[in-house]
Amino acid sequence: MGCRDVHAATVLSFLCGIASVAGLFAGTLLPNWRKLRLITFNRNEKNLTVYTGLWVKCARYDGSSDCLMYDTTWYSSVD
């Protein structure tokens, strides 16, 4: 099979395969899949945001970069 025999469907399927593998790796390595923001109306308390990823769950206050709760084993207890 020479280079002249490569059809558009073959190239398209190859590009779709590469894109799906890249998406699979990116989705696996993303730290935050879901972001849940808990808003309080009390002026003395800060709002809380819970980040849920495939491997880690983290809860932090708004404006903070430190996790209050950093759970790396939460996925093993989920059915």
Side-chain angles (χ1 to χ4, degrees):
M1 181 165 124
C3 291
R4 291 180 290 185
D5 295 335
V6 175
H7 299 291
T10 306
V11 172
L12 182 64
S13 64
F14 178 73
L15 292 177
C16 287
I18 294 294
S20 64
V21 169
L24 180 68
F25 282 125
T28 303
L29 298 177
L30 279 176
N32 304 332
W33 279 20
R34 187 174 81 178
K35 181 169 116 176
L36 177 67
R37 187 163 183 198
L38 306 171
I39 299 174
T40 181
F41 295 105
N42 187 353
R43 292 184 181 182
N44 297 326
E45 295 181 7
K46 293 183 179 180
N47 296 332
L48 186 72
T49 305
V50 178
Y51 298 96
T52 305
L54 184 62
W55 311 110
V56 172
K57 184 183 274 188
C58 172
R60 67 176 64 149
Y61 286 122
D62 284 354
S64 173
S65 62
D66 298 334
C67 290
L68 299 172
M69 179 200 72
Y70 188 78
D71 190 8
T72 57
T73 60
W74 74 273
Y75 60 87
S76 62
S77 63
V78 177
D79 287 330

